[in-house]
Amino acid sequence: MSVIVTDQGFAPDHWQGEVRDLPSDTDPATLTAIPNEALVRIAFPSSADGRGFTLARLLRLRGFTGRLRAAGHVIADQYAMARRAGFDEVEIDDALAARQPEDQWQFRADWRAHDYQARLGARRTQA
């Protein structure tokens, strides 16, 4: 079973439409023909493999407006980075959800407030 993590917390996977799965080693040059209606799920084979973040960012920069999901070995500490890269949600298995309960993910749900760019902007307004 899978658990979907969003800014609101844990939820079951209710997606009924098509899913386009992309492995982490997808050639970025092939990202131009992804339809916006589909859910695109990018695999994270390891929490140390950051290529999925790059793929998500490139998809968003190239105009993808559909639903974007990180799936696999994403840990709670990476949630803010996933959201900033353009992911709408993260799909984890039940075992990871048990090791890193919902409150650990919720702690990182305010992903816009604590990035370095926000801190830099605060310094500029103080000057």
Side-chain angles (χ1 to χ4, degrees):
M1 219 46 216
S2 293
V3 174
I4 303 301
V5 183
T6 67
D7 293 349
Q8 288 72 43
F10 285 4
D13 186 2
H14 294 298
W15 182 259
Q16 297 293 316
E18 281 189 46
V19 176
R20 169 118 183 233
D21 285 307
L22 296 178
S24 62
D25 63 352
T26 298
D27 179 357
T30 65
L31 296 180
T32 57
I34 307 245
N36 280 318
E37 318 69 61
L39 181 143
V40 174
R41 181 171 48 201
I42 298 176
F44 280 76
S46 161
S47 60
D49 185 346
R51 294 175 293 179
F53 297 116
T54 301
L55 293 173
R57 187 69 185 140
L58 287 172
L59 276 171
R60 293 299 188 200
L61 288 172
R62 293 177 183 172
F64 181 74
T65 59
R67 196 163 166 181
L68 194 53
R69 179 184 292 178
H73 296 280
V74 178
I75 59 175
D77 285 342
Q78 295 171 314
Y79 182 71
M81 183 185 306
R83 293 289 284 131
R84 284 187 201 108
F87 285 106
D88 297 300
E89 57 199 32
V90 175
E91 178 182 336
I92 59 174
D93 63 25
D94 290 333
L96 179 57
R99 284 191 312 274
Q100 294 191 318
E102 185 174 22
D103 64 326
Q104 292 183 23
W105 295 83
Q106 284 292 134
F107 180 74
R108 290 147 181 96
D110 190 11
W111 55 274
R112 289 184 181 103
H114 304 292
D115 68 339
Y116 75 94
Q117 293 167 334
R119 289 191 305 270
L120 288 174
R123 285 186 193 145
R124 282 190 201 122
T125 59
Q126 293 173 357

